[in-house]
Amino acid sequence: MCELPSTERSPLLYIHSTKSSTSPQTETRSRNANIRSKHKKNSLSVIIFGQVVALALACGNASSSALENQFQIRTPTCLTGLVYFVLSFHIVWLWRQRTKQETKIQTRYNFPFTNLQLYTPWYIYLILSILDVEANYLAMLSFQETKLSSSMLLTSLSVLSTVLLRKMIFGSNISGKGRLLGVILCILGGCICLQGDVHPSQIDTNRDLSYDSRINLHGDLLALVAAFLYGLNDVLAEYFVKNNDRVEYLGMLGFFGFVFSFCLQAPILEGVAVRELVTKFSQSQNDILVSDFFWVSFLLFCFVIMLSFFYVAVSMFLSENDATILNLSLQSCPLWAV
């Protein structure tokens, strides 16, 4: 007699069918959880890296401020020129890499009077270097002609110029409520600061408020121009770092920045200040000279190392993130400076 097939389901078949019915939802939840976890880790690493960059900039600014206030060294172009000199050593590493047979590139652009091939024409890097030198010079000059807090707040408006220029160059908008809130707060802080300098308080009637207002306003305008140039430099740096070569960008920026600073701008704008410093140290007593020389050398070393690290870290940051996040991260510099 023929047996009818059993209508009972096999335990193995039941388990398989149960897994297959729930596995898509489980896999989706697991995938979303992994994405959220990875996004949180990436966001945390970006925040930490951004604060490391901000700390390096704050240390460099503190060293520059100490040189100016304690030793009356007011030569911003010469100071930043030393930073560019250190950055220019990237050319040596670039030369060694480009001259190897397996890493040679085929372009029609060469470094002047050499066979070192470049992804971008050298005169483009010259323009970028001039913009960077002038941004640093105007920012340091604004510190001398307005309140430090005002200058730092107004320089924070580089966030606004960064957003506008990224829209023009990359065609990208602000993404995320946090970024939008940060941009709005930077704009409000700069406007309130500018309003306070244009219409100063009438508490102290013995001071010439109209004169102070003109001086502060002049310093504020310098800070505004520096903020625009900082935003422009950051956006251009993001473009060249992501589309060309990071080491080439740093090497060319350092070389042309050093040449422009020491061969053109420093002799014209800071020649008298440099001669006065040389005369001052040469006429000092031996014990004072040794002590001052030690501290000046130490502060100068800190300034050059911190700013050089800052430039390298910024190029690494921009290779993975955008200039808006960079400028928002740098708003914590006053906190680190305190």
Side-chain angles (χ1 to χ4, degrees):
M1 183 176 177
C2 181
E3 283 188 2
L4 294 175
S6 175
T7 57
E8 290 186 358
R9 301 181 66 181
S10 167
L12 184 60
L13 182 61
Y14 177 77
I15 294 173
H16 177 73
S17 62
T18 303
K19 286 185 177 180
S20 63
S21 61
T22 58
S23 60
Q25 297 178 358
T26 305
E27 289 179 1
T28 302
R29 294 195 192 99
S30 177
R31 190 183 305 114
N32 292 336
N34 291 334
I35 292 174
R36 286 194 297 269
S37 177
K38 185 177 181 180
H39 179 70
K40 289 181 180 179
K41 290 181 180 179
N42 291 338
S43 300
L44 182 61
S45 62
V46 169
I47 292 173
I48 294 175
F49 193 13
Q51 292 312 301
V52 170
V53 176
L55 178 60
L57 180 59
C59 292
N61 289 338
S63 302
S64 174
S65 178
L67 288 170
E68 178 183 347
N69 296 328
Q70 298 182 17
F71 300 100
Q72 288 74 48
I73 299 179
R74 298 183 176 89
T75 56
T77 303
C78 291
L79 293 178
T80 54
L82 296 175
V83 177
Y84 293 126
F85 175 73
V86 174
L87 292 178
S88 65
F89 281 95
H90 283 84
I91 295 180
V92 178
W93 187 86
L94 182 69
W95 196 303
R96 293 182 59 184
Q97 293 297 318
R98 296 280 170 88
T99 52
K100 292 181 180 179
Q101 187 66 31
E102 61 272 12
T103 57
K104 283 186 176 180
I105 62 174
Q106 298 298 327
T107 65
R108 65 177 185 273
Y109 307 120
N110 281 21
F111 189 69
F113 308 108
T114 68
N115 59 353
L116 176 62
Q117 293 185 318
L118 304 173
Y119 286 111
T120 304
W122 63 269
Y123 50 84
I124 299 296
Y125 289 120
L126 175 61
I127 296 174
L128 294 176
S129 301
I130 294 174
L131 292 175
D132 196 74
V133 170
E134 298 308 320
N136 291 325
Y137 178 77
L138 292 177
M140 291 185 177
L141 194 62
S142 68
F143 292 159
Q144 303 175 13
E145 302 203 17
T146 188
K147 294 176 290 185
L148 181 61
S149 59
S150 298
S151 181
M152 298 186 78
L153 277 175
L154 289 170
T155 308
S156 70
L157 290 178
S158 59
V159 176
L160 177 60
S161 63
T162 300
V163 171
L164 297 177
L165 291 169
R166 286 195 85 252
K167 174 64 177 178
M168 296 172 58
I169 296 176
F170 295 100
S172 58
N173 296 317
I174 303 177
S175 60
K177 296 181 180 179
R179 296 190 196 183
L180 181 61
L181 178 61
V183 172
I184 293 175
L185 290 177
C186 290
I187 296 173
L188 288 177
C191 292
I192 292 172
C193 179
L194 187 61
Q195 175 70 16
D197 285 341
V198 174
H199 302 286
S201 174
Q202 300 292 331
I203 295 177
D204 190 356
T205 57
N206 295 325
R207 295 174 58 188
D208 188 355
L209 296 180
S210 62
Y211 176 76
D212 289 346
S213 178
R214 289 195 299 270
I215 294 297
N216 289 336
L217 184 60
H218 184 255
D220 293 345
L221 293 177
L222 291 176
L224 286 175
V225 176
F228 173 79
L229 290 178
Y230 275 139
L232 177 61
N233 291 335
D234 291 338
V235 174
L236 293 176
E238 178 186 354
Y239 175 81
F240 283 100
V241 166
K242 288 182 176 178
N243 294 280
N244 291 331
D245 185 81
R246 186 178 67 86
V247 177
E248 178 181 305
Y249 169 78
L250 289 173
M252 294 297 110
L253 181 71
F255 176 80
F256 289 113
F258 171 75
V259 171
F260 181 79
S261 297
F262 277 101
C263 296
L264 185 62
Q265 182 161 310
I268 296 175
L269 300 179
E270 300 175 358
V272 176
V274 171
R275 287 193 293 270
E276 290 178 353
L277 284 175
V278 173
T279 303
K280 172 186 174 182
F281 279 97
S282 62
Q283 294 178 351
S284 299
Q285 298 179 3
N286 292 333
D287 54 346
I288 300 178
L289 179 62
V290 172
S291 176
D292 288 351
F293 181 78
F294 171 79
W295 284 110
V296 168
S297 301
F298 175 75
L299 292 173
L300 189 60
F301 175 80
C302 292
F303 175 81
V304 173
I305 293 300
M306 288 294 103
L307 264 294
S308 300
F309 173 79
F310 169 77
Y311 273 95
V312 176
V314 164
S315 68
M316 297 173 62
F317 189 93
L318 292 176
S319 63
E320 299 293 336
N321 303 282
D322 60 67
T324 304
I325 300 179
L326 172 66
N327 280 273
L328 290 174
S329 300
L330 294 180
Q331 301 315 306
S332 61
C333 281
L335 177 63
W336 288 114
V338 173

